[in-house]
Amino acid sequence: IYPLIRTEKQVAKVFEDIEEEPGIILYTVVDQKLARGIDERCAAMGLPCVSVLEPVLAVFQSYLGTPAGRRVGAQHVLDAEYFRRIDALNFTMEHDDGQLPANMDDADIVLIGISRTSKTPTSIYLANRGIKTANIPIVLGVPVPESLVNARTPLIVGLIATAERISHVRQNRILGNTSTYVPSDYVDRAAINEELAYARQICTRHGWPMIDVSRRSIEETAAAIVALRGKSR
């Protein structure tokens, strides 16, 4: 396998190796000049070669009625959308797990919830879509930051789950970090139900929507949040 072949010099180097160990050549070069060069070299050496992308491009061109752009590395274009995603990722990492709570109005979305309700992975998934997402943990008996209560810009969403689900996830986390497991309120379902009741109380008091993540993947949770955001605009 020879990745990132983009020049005639690189092609020549590849064929030096092929001469030593000839075989069937499959290539995904989009530059037509380089592709012709590969075809010609293979023909001269009597080797079969196949452009893997050509049949796919032909189907797209026929269906869309437009020629392929054939720009090398087009998927890595550093455009405004790319930098928007990077900015969102930086913001999300800086505002993970309750960090920098003072500037919640800079967020597009704020996720809140008790421990192990998928706040961080969901935040990162949303950030990859260019959505600045902060997340703040809800701790039993501890008020949420005033900056969150007073925030006017972001959509604030509470993530909840069943006590059984949270207990299971927490137990796995504990077992993964220590060889000795000692039961505690952290995994006790009755204690978790108290945490969940407190989280629901906070969300209800402030009119923040809640999403049950018990049977949702990260992608499904994110899609539900994006849908809520669309309705709130």
Side-chain angles (χ1 to χ4, degrees):
I1 298 175
Y2 298 88
L4 302 176
I5 301 301
R6 296 179 178 176
T7 67
E8 292 181 4
K9 185 176 181 180
Q10 289 173 321
V11 170
K13 175 61 178 174
V14 170
F15 272 92
E16 288 178 8
D17 293 345
I18 292 173
E19 286 177 356
E20 295 181 8
E21 295 185 48
I24 299 172
I25 310 301
L26 304 178
Y27 66 87
T28 57
V29 174
V30 296
D31 183 285
Q32 290 182 302
K33 183 179 179 181
L34 286 182
R36 282 195 299 270
I38 293 172
D39 289 338
E40 291 169 0
R41 284 175 176 266
C42 287
M45 296 171 66
L47 297 176
C49 69
V50 177
S51 171
V52 177
L53 290 180
E54 280 306 317
V56 179
L57 289 174
V59 170
F60 274 96
Q61 290 177 124
S62 174
Y63 182 77
L64 298 174
T66 184
R70 296 182 181 274
R71 280 192 299 138
V72 177
Q75 73 271 33
H76 302 302
V77 173
L78 303 184
D79 56 8
E81 177 63 22
Y82 169 83
F83 287 107
R84 188 170 72 91
R85 293 199 308 271
I86 294 299
D87 189 36
L89 278 167
N90 287 335
F91 178 91
T92 296
M93 297 309 296
E94 290 173 353
H95 294 79
D96 181 44
D97 201 30
Q99 298 182 86
L100 303 178
N103 54 347
M104 288 296 99
D105 263 318
D106 292 336
D108 298 315
I109 291 172
V110 180
L111 304 181
I112 62 173
I114 68 173
S115 171
R116 312 267 66 88
T117 49
S118 302
K119 297 185 299 297
T120 294
T122 305
S123 296
I124 293 173
Y125 185 90
L126 289 167
N128 269 299
R129 297 187 59 174
I131 301 172
K132 293 181 179 179
T133 310
N135 74 80
I136 294 178
I138 291 179
V139 179
L140 183 62
V142 178
V144 294
E146 281 299 315
S147 58
L148 179 64
V149 176
N150 296 327
R152 294 294 176 263
T153 303
L155 168 67
I156 301 169
V157 180
L159 301 185
I160 59 173
T162 63
E164 292 77 14
R165 168 66 177 169
I166 293 173
S167 177
H168 177 71
V169 174
R170 288 180 177 181
Q171 286 182 49
N172 287 340
R173 179 175 175 81
I174 290 174
L175 290 171
N177 291 336
T178 179
S179 58
T180 57
Y181 169 60
V182 180
S184 68
D185 285 348
Y186 185 64
V187 297
D188 180 72
R189 293 184 183 182
I192 293 172
N193 273 320
E194 288 186 35
E195 294 179 57
L196 288 167
Y198 182 65
R200 288 190 179 95
Q201 182 184 42
I202 289 174
C203 290
T204 301
R205 182 190 309 148
H206 297 288
W208 297 332
M210 290 174 277
I211 295 176
D212 190 328
V213 303
S214 302
R215 296 183 179 275
R216 294 179 191 261
S217 65
I218 299 301
E219 294 83 357
E220 289 171 328
T221 301
I225 293 168
V226 170
L228 284 173
R229 187 180 180 220
K231 292 178 182 178
S232 67
R233 286 181 168 179

PDB file of all heavy atoms in Angstrom, residues 2 12 33 54 68 77 85 96 101 109 116 120 123 132 138 140 146 153 165 187 197 200 208 215 217:
ATOM      1  N   TYR A   2       0.596   2.156  -0.907  1.00  0.00           N
ATOM      2  CA  TYR A   2       1.373   3.393  -1.016  1.00  0.00           C
ATOM      3  C   TYR A   2       0.412   4.587  -0.918  1.00  0.00           C
ATOM      4  O   TYR A   2      -0.210   4.973  -1.905  1.00  0.00           O
ATOM      5  CB  TYR A   2       2.128   3.439  -2.347  1.00  0.00           C
ATOM      6  CG  TYR A   2       3.141   2.329  -2.512  1.00  0.00           C
ATOM      7  CD1 TYR A   2       2.767   1.099  -3.045  1.00  0.00           C
ATOM      8  CD2 TYR A   2       4.465   2.510  -2.129  1.00  0.00           C
ATOM      9  CE1 TYR A   2       3.685   0.074  -3.186  1.00  0.00           C
ATOM     10  CE2 TYR A   2       5.396   1.486  -2.273  1.00  0.00           C
ATOM     11  CZ  TYR A   2       4.998   0.267  -2.800  1.00  0.00           C
ATOM     12  OH  TYR A   2       5.923  -0.743  -2.941  1.00  0.00           O
ATOM     13  N   ALA A  12       7.132   7.038  -9.739  1.00  0.00           N
ATOM     14  CA  ALA A  12       8.335   6.338 -10.212  1.00  0.00           C
ATOM     15  C   ALA A  12       8.923   5.469  -9.107  1.00  0.00           C
ATOM     16  O   ALA A  12       9.353   4.329  -9.347  1.00  0.00           O
ATOM     17  CB  ALA A  12       9.360   7.354 -10.705  1.00  0.00           C
ATOM     18  N   LYS A  33      -3.461  13.029 -15.202  1.00  0.00           N
ATOM     19  CA  LYS A  33      -2.125  12.886 -15.784  1.00  0.00           C
ATOM     20  C   LYS A  33      -1.360  11.759 -15.091  1.00  0.00           C
ATOM     21  O   LYS A  33      -0.741  10.912 -15.745  1.00  0.00           O
ATOM     22  CB  LYS A  33      -1.355  14.202 -15.665  1.00  0.00           C
ATOM     23  CG  LYS A  33       0.026  14.159 -16.308  1.00  0.00           C
ATOM     24  CD  LYS A  33       0.740  15.503 -16.178  1.00  0.00           C
ATOM     25  CE  LYS A  33       2.134  15.431 -16.801  1.00  0.00           C
ATOM     26  NZ  LYS A  33       2.865  16.721 -16.658  1.00  0.00           N
ATOM     27  N   GLU A  54     -12.691   5.295 -10.731  1.00  0.00           N
ATOM     28  CA  GLU A  54     -13.317   5.689 -11.996  1.00  0.00           C
ATOM     29  C   GLU A  54     -14.766   5.230 -12.134  1.00  0.00           C
ATOM     30  O   GLU A  54     -15.631   6.022 -12.519  1.00  0.00           O
ATOM     31  CB  GLU A  54     -12.482   5.203 -13.176  1.00  0.00           C
ATOM     32  CG  GLU A  54     -11.284   6.076 -13.485  1.00  0.00           C
ATOM     33  CD  GLU A  54     -11.645   7.543 -13.698  1.00  0.00           C
ATOM     34  OE1 GLU A  54     -12.650   7.827 -14.380  1.00  0.00           O
ATOM     35  OE2 GLU A  54     -10.936   8.405 -13.163  1.00  0.00           O
ATOM     36  N   ALA A  68     -16.711  15.515 -12.442  1.00  0.00           N
ATOM     37  CA  ALA A  68     -15.991  15.466 -11.169  1.00  0.00           C
ATOM     38  C   ALA A  68     -14.934  16.560 -11.123  1.00  0.00           C
ATOM     39  O   ALA A  68     -14.299  16.868 -12.134  1.00  0.00           O
ATOM     40  CB  ALA A  68     -15.333  14.097 -10.997  1.00  0.00           C
ATOM     41  N   VAL A  77     -10.070  20.557   2.833  1.00  0.00           N
ATOM     42  CA  VAL A  77     -10.043  21.992   2.585  1.00  0.00           C
ATOM     43  C   VAL A  77     -10.208  22.765   3.895  1.00  0.00           C
ATOM     44  O   VAL A  77     -11.102  22.476   4.692  1.00  0.00           O
ATOM     45  CB  VAL A  77     -11.169  22.391   1.604  1.00  0.00           C
ATOM     46  CG1 VAL A  77     -11.249  23.904   1.473  1.00  0.00           C
ATOM     47  CG2 VAL A  77     -10.922  21.764   0.240  1.00  0.00           C
ATOM     48  N   ARG A  85     -15.641  24.445  13.154  1.00  0.00           N
ATOM     49  CA  ARG A  85     -15.624  23.214  13.949  1.00  0.00           C
ATOM     50  C   ARG A  85     -14.464  23.213  14.942  1.00  0.00           C
ATOM     51  O   ARG A  85     -14.619  22.791  16.089  1.00  0.00           O
ATOM     52  CB  ARG A  85     -15.536  21.989  13.033  1.00  0.00           C
ATOM     53  CG  ARG A  85     -16.770  21.763  12.187  1.00  0.00           C
ATOM     54  CD  ARG A  85     -16.834  20.331  11.673  1.00  0.00           C
ATOM     55  NE  ARG A  85     -15.617  19.921  10.998  1.00  0.00           N
ATOM     56  CZ  ARG A  85     -15.378  20.087   9.709  1.00  0.00           C
ATOM     57  NH1 ARG A  85     -16.287  20.682   8.946  1.00  0.00           N
ATOM     58  NH2 ARG A  85     -14.255  19.668   9.165  1.00  0.00           N
ATOM     59  N   ASP A  96     -15.607  21.832  29.528  1.00  0.00           N
ATOM     60  CA  ASP A  96     -16.036  20.486  29.894  1.00  0.00           C
ATOM     61  C   ASP A  96     -16.162  20.348  31.407  1.00  0.00           C
ATOM     62  O   ASP A  96     -15.351  20.889  32.163  1.00  0.00           O
ATOM     63  CB  ASP A  96     -15.024  19.459  29.362  1.00  0.00           C
ATOM     64  CG  ASP A  96     -15.423  18.029  29.683  1.00  0.00           C
ATOM     65  OD1 ASP A  96     -16.613  17.694  29.522  1.00  0.00           O
ATOM     66  OD2 ASP A  96     -14.545  17.245  30.097  1.00  0.00           O
ATOM     67  N   PRO A 101     -17.423  28.410  34.064  1.00  0.00           N
ATOM     68  CA  PRO A 101     -18.879  28.587  34.023  1.00  0.00           C
ATOM     69  C   PRO A 101     -19.329  30.036  33.841  1.00  0.00           C
ATOM     70  O   PRO A 101     -20.506  30.282  33.571  1.00  0.00           O
ATOM     71  CB  PRO A 101     -19.328  28.054  35.387  1.00  0.00           C
ATOM     72  CG  PRO A 101     -18.155  28.314  36.282  1.00  0.00           C
ATOM     73  CD  PRO A 101     -16.940  28.092  35.425  1.00  0.00           C
ATOM     74  N   ILE A 109     -24.991  25.591  23.133  1.00  0.00           N
ATOM     75  CA  ILE A 109     -25.757  24.606  23.903  1.00  0.00           C
ATOM     76  C   ILE A 109     -25.018  24.333  25.209  1.00  0.00           C
ATOM     77  O   ILE A 109     -23.785  24.278  25.232  1.00  0.00           O
ATOM     78  CB  ILE A 109     -25.919  23.288  23.115  1.00  0.00           C
ATOM     79  CG1 ILE A 109     -26.848  23.494  21.909  1.00  0.00           C
ATOM     80  CG2 ILE A 109     -26.451  22.163  24.000  1.00  0.00           C
ATOM     81  CD1 ILE A 109     -26.913  22.302  20.974  1.00  0.00           C
ATOM     82  N   ARG A 116     -22.269  10.507  34.662  1.00  0.00           N
ATOM     83  CA  ARG A 116     -22.446   9.368  33.766  1.00  0.00           C
ATOM     84  C   ARG A 116     -23.744   9.419  32.970  1.00  0.00           C
ATOM     85  O   ARG A 116     -24.395   8.409  32.747  1.00  0.00           O
ATOM     86  CB  ARG A 116     -22.367   8.033  34.547  1.00  0.00           C
ATOM     87  CG  ARG A 116     -21.173   7.939  35.477  1.00  0.00           C
ATOM     88  CD  ARG A 116     -19.981   7.275  34.850  1.00  0.00           C
ATOM     89  NE  ARG A 116     -19.368   7.996  33.761  1.00  0.00           N
ATOM     90  CZ  ARG A 116     -18.410   8.914  33.907  1.00  0.00           C
ATOM     91  NH1 ARG A 116     -17.998   9.267  35.101  1.00  0.00           N
ATOM     92  NH2 ARG A 116     -17.864   9.473  32.870  1.00  0.00           N
ATOM     93  N   THR A 120     -20.143  14.627  28.348  1.00  0.00           N
ATOM     94  CA  THR A 120     -18.914  14.958  27.618  1.00  0.00           C
ATOM     95  C   THR A 120     -18.890  14.389  26.203  1.00  0.00           C
ATOM     96  O   THR A 120     -18.632  15.133  25.245  1.00  0.00           O
ATOM     97  CB  THR A 120     -17.678  14.499  28.411  1.00  0.00           C
ATOM     98  OG1 THR A 120     -17.581  15.270  29.612  1.00  0.00           O
ATOM     99  CG2 THR A 120     -16.400  14.699  27.590  1.00  0.00           C
ATOM    100  N   SER A 123     -21.227  16.324  24.065  1.00  0.00           N
ATOM    101  CA  SER A 123     -20.703  17.675  23.816  1.00  0.00           C
ATOM    102  C   SER A 123     -19.675  17.659  22.693  1.00  0.00           C
ATOM    103  O   SER A 123     -19.689  18.515  21.797  1.00  0.00           O
ATOM    104  CB  SER A 123     -20.069  18.241  25.093  1.00  0.00           C
ATOM    105  OG  SER A 123     -21.019  18.406  26.113  1.00  0.00           O
ATOM    106  N   LYS A 132     -20.850  25.062  19.578  1.00  0.00           N
ATOM    107  CA  LYS A 132     -20.143  25.288  20.840  1.00  0.00           C
ATOM    108  C   LYS A 132     -20.985  24.749  21.992  1.00  0.00           C
ATOM    109  O   LYS A 132     -22.085  25.242  22.246  1.00  0.00           O
ATOM    110  CB  LYS A 132     -19.878  26.780  21.042  1.00  0.00           C
ATOM    111  CG  LYS A 132     -18.895  27.380  20.053  1.00  0.00           C
ATOM    112  CD  LYS A 132     -18.677  28.854  20.352  1.00  0.00           C
ATOM    113  CE  LYS A 132     -17.679  29.472  19.386  1.00  0.00           C
ATOM    114  NZ  LYS A 132     -17.485  30.914  19.650  1.00  0.00           N
ATOM    115  N   ILE A 138     -24.506  18.115  37.538  1.00  0.00           N
ATOM    116  CA  ILE A 138     -25.449  18.400  38.621  1.00  0.00           C
ATOM    117  C   ILE A 138     -25.083  17.502  39.797  1.00  0.00           C
ATOM    118  O   ILE A 138     -25.006  16.276  39.653  1.00  0.00           O
ATOM    119  CB  ILE A 138     -26.900  18.140  38.184  1.00  0.00           C
ATOM    120  CG1 ILE A 138     -27.330  19.172  37.136  1.00  0.00           C
ATOM    121  CG2 ILE A 138     -27.841  18.185  39.388  1.00  0.00           C
ATOM    122  CD1 ILE A 138     -28.746  18.980  36.633  1.00  0.00           C
ATOM    123  N   LEU A 140     -26.040  16.539  43.763  1.00  0.00           N
ATOM    124  CA  LEU A 140     -27.156  16.593  44.705  1.00  0.00           C
ATOM    125  C   LEU A 140     -26.921  17.652  45.784  1.00  0.00           C
ATOM    126  O   LEU A 140     -25.897  17.654  46.466  1.00  0.00           O
ATOM    127  CB  LEU A 140     -27.346  15.221  45.361  1.00  0.00           C
ATOM    128  CG  LEU A 140     -28.522  15.084  46.336  1.00  0.00           C
ATOM    129  CD1 LEU A 140     -29.846  15.315  45.613  1.00  0.00           C
ATOM    130  CD2 LEU A 140     -28.505  13.703  46.995  1.00  0.00           C
ATOM    131  N   GLU A 146     -25.028  30.516  38.899  1.00  0.00           N
ATOM    132  CA  GLU A 146     -25.923  31.618  38.559  1.00  0.00           C
ATOM    133  C   GLU A 146     -25.737  32.048  37.108  1.00  0.00           C
ATOM    134  O   GLU A 146     -26.681  32.485  36.453  1.00  0.00           O
ATOM    135  CB  GLU A 146     -25.662  32.812  39.493  1.00  0.00           C
ATOM    136  CG  GLU A 146     -26.287  32.670  40.864  1.00  0.00           C
ATOM    137  CD  GLU A 146     -27.804  32.563  40.802  1.00  0.00           C
ATOM    138  OE1 GLU A 146     -28.433  33.356  40.065  1.00  0.00           O
ATOM    139  OE2 GLU A 146     -28.359  31.670  41.471  1.00  0.00           O
ATOM    140  N   THR A 153     -28.475  33.158  25.876  1.00  0.00           N
ATOM    141  CA  THR A 153     -28.139  32.728  24.516  1.00  0.00           C
ATOM    142  C   THR A 153     -28.264  31.225  24.286  1.00  0.00           C
ATOM    143  O   THR A 153     -28.878  30.803  23.303  1.00  0.00           O
ATOM    144  CB  THR A 153     -26.710  33.175  24.153  1.00  0.00           C
ATOM    145  OG1 THR A 153     -26.614  34.590  24.291  1.00  0.00           O
ATOM    146  CG2 THR A 153     -26.367  32.779  22.725  1.00  0.00           C
ATOM    147  N   ARG A 165     -29.414   2.110  34.567  1.00  0.00           N
ATOM    148  CA  ARG A 165     -28.407   2.387  33.543  1.00  0.00           C
ATOM    149  C   ARG A 165     -27.201   3.117  34.135  1.00  0.00           C
ATOM    150  O   ARG A 165     -26.051   2.746  33.902  1.00  0.00           O
ATOM    151  CB  ARG A 165     -29.041   3.227  32.429  1.00  0.00           C
ATOM    152  CG  ARG A 165     -28.070   3.829  31.431  1.00  0.00           C
ATOM    153  CD  ARG A 165     -27.367   2.788  30.616  1.00  0.00           C
ATOM    154  NE  ARG A 165     -26.494   3.389  29.627  1.00  0.00           N
ATOM    155  CZ  ARG A 165     -25.597   2.712  28.916  1.00  0.00           C
ATOM    156  NH1 ARG A 165     -25.476   1.404  29.093  1.00  0.00           N
ATOM    157  NH2 ARG A 165     -24.843   3.321  28.034  1.00  0.00           N
ATOM    158  N   VAL A 187     -22.992   4.163  43.331  1.00  0.00           N
ATOM    159  CA  VAL A 187     -23.633   3.158  42.479  1.00  0.00           C
ATOM    160  C   VAL A 187     -24.958   2.663  43.059  1.00  0.00           C
ATOM    161  O   VAL A 187     -25.628   1.836  42.437  1.00  0.00           O
ATOM    162  CB  VAL A 187     -22.691   1.956  42.246  1.00  0.00           C
ATOM    163  CG1 VAL A 187     -21.443   2.390  41.501  1.00  0.00           C
ATOM    164  CG2 VAL A 187     -22.327   1.281  43.557  1.00  0.00           C
ATOM    165  N   ALA A 197     -33.891  12.875  40.737  1.00  0.00           N
ATOM    166  CA  ALA A 197     -35.029  13.701  41.150  1.00  0.00           C
ATOM    167  C   ALA A 197     -34.595  15.155  41.307  1.00  0.00           C
ATOM    168  O   ALA A 197     -35.319  16.084  40.919  1.00  0.00           O
ATOM    169  CB  ALA A 197     -35.613  13.166  42.458  1.00  0.00           C
ATOM    170  N   ARG A 200     -34.100  16.610  37.805  1.00  0.00           N
ATOM    171  CA  ARG A 200     -35.400  16.910  37.183  1.00  0.00           C
ATOM    172  C   ARG A 200     -36.023  18.160  37.799  1.00  0.00           C
ATOM    173  O   ARG A 200     -36.631  18.979  37.101  1.00  0.00           O
ATOM    174  CB  ARG A 200     -36.343  15.717  37.353  1.00  0.00           C
ATOM    175  CG  ARG A 200     -35.994  14.506  36.498  1.00  0.00           C
ATOM    176  CD  ARG A 200     -37.128  13.480  36.545  1.00  0.00           C
ATOM    177  NE  ARG A 200     -36.830  12.313  35.721  1.00  0.00           N
ATOM    178  CZ  ARG A 200     -36.289  11.191  36.183  1.00  0.00           C
ATOM    179  NH1 ARG A 200     -35.972  11.095  37.476  1.00  0.00           N
ATOM    180  NH2 ARG A 200     -36.052  10.175  35.374  1.00  0.00           N
ATOM    181  N   TRP A 208     -36.121  23.993  31.496  1.00  0.00           N
ATOM    182  CA  TRP A 208     -35.133  23.416  30.585  1.00  0.00           C
ATOM    183  C   TRP A 208     -35.588  22.029  30.139  1.00  0.00           C
ATOM    184  O   TRP A 208     -35.973  21.203  30.980  1.00  0.00           O
ATOM    185  CB  TRP A 208     -33.771  23.322  31.266  1.00  0.00           C
ATOM    186  CG  TRP A 208     -33.194  24.662  31.653  1.00  0.00           C
ATOM    187  CD1 TRP A 208     -33.424  25.861  31.046  1.00  0.00           C
ATOM    188  CD2 TRP A 208     -32.302  24.926  32.742  1.00  0.00           C
ATOM    189  NE1 TRP A 208     -32.726  26.864  31.679  1.00  0.00           N
ATOM    190  CE2 TRP A 208     -32.021  26.322  32.730  1.00  0.00           C
ATOM    191  CE3 TRP A 208     -31.705  24.135  33.725  1.00  0.00           C
ATOM    192  CZ2 TRP A 208     -31.179  26.932  33.653  1.00  0.00           C
ATOM    193  CZ3 TRP A 208     -30.863  24.732  34.650  1.00  0.00           C
ATOM    194  CH2 TRP A 208     -30.597  26.118  34.610  1.00  0.00           C
ATOM    195  N   ARG A 215     -31.532   4.696  26.413  1.00  0.00           N
ATOM    196  CA  ARG A 215     -31.508   3.798  25.255  1.00  0.00           C
ATOM    197  C   ARG A 215     -31.096   4.525  23.976  1.00  0.00           C
ATOM    198  O   ARG A 215     -31.419   4.085  22.876  1.00  0.00           O
ATOM    199  CB  ARG A 215     -32.880   3.146  25.066  1.00  0.00           C
ATOM    200  CG  ARG A 215     -33.287   2.245  26.225  1.00  0.00           C
ATOM    201  CD  ARG A 215     -34.619   1.570  25.970  1.00  0.00           C
ATOM    202  NE  ARG A 215     -35.003   0.696  27.065  1.00  0.00           N
ATOM    203  CZ  ARG A 215     -34.598  -0.567  27.198  1.00  0.00           C
ATOM    204  NH1 ARG A 215     -33.798  -1.097  26.284  1.00  0.00           N
ATOM    205  NH2 ARG A 215     -34.989  -1.303  28.219  1.00  0.00           N
ATOM    206  N   SER A 217     -28.046   6.245  21.558  1.00  0.00           N
ATOM    207  CA  SER A 217     -26.622   6.372  21.264  1.00  0.00           C
ATOM    208  C   SER A 217     -26.252   7.850  21.365  1.00  0.00           C
ATOM    209  O   SER A 217     -27.134   8.718  21.441  1.00  0.00           O
ATOM    210  CB  SER A 217     -26.326   5.865  19.851  1.00  0.00           C
ATOM    211  OG  SER A 217     -26.966   6.693  18.890  1.00  0.00           O
TER     212      SER A 217
END
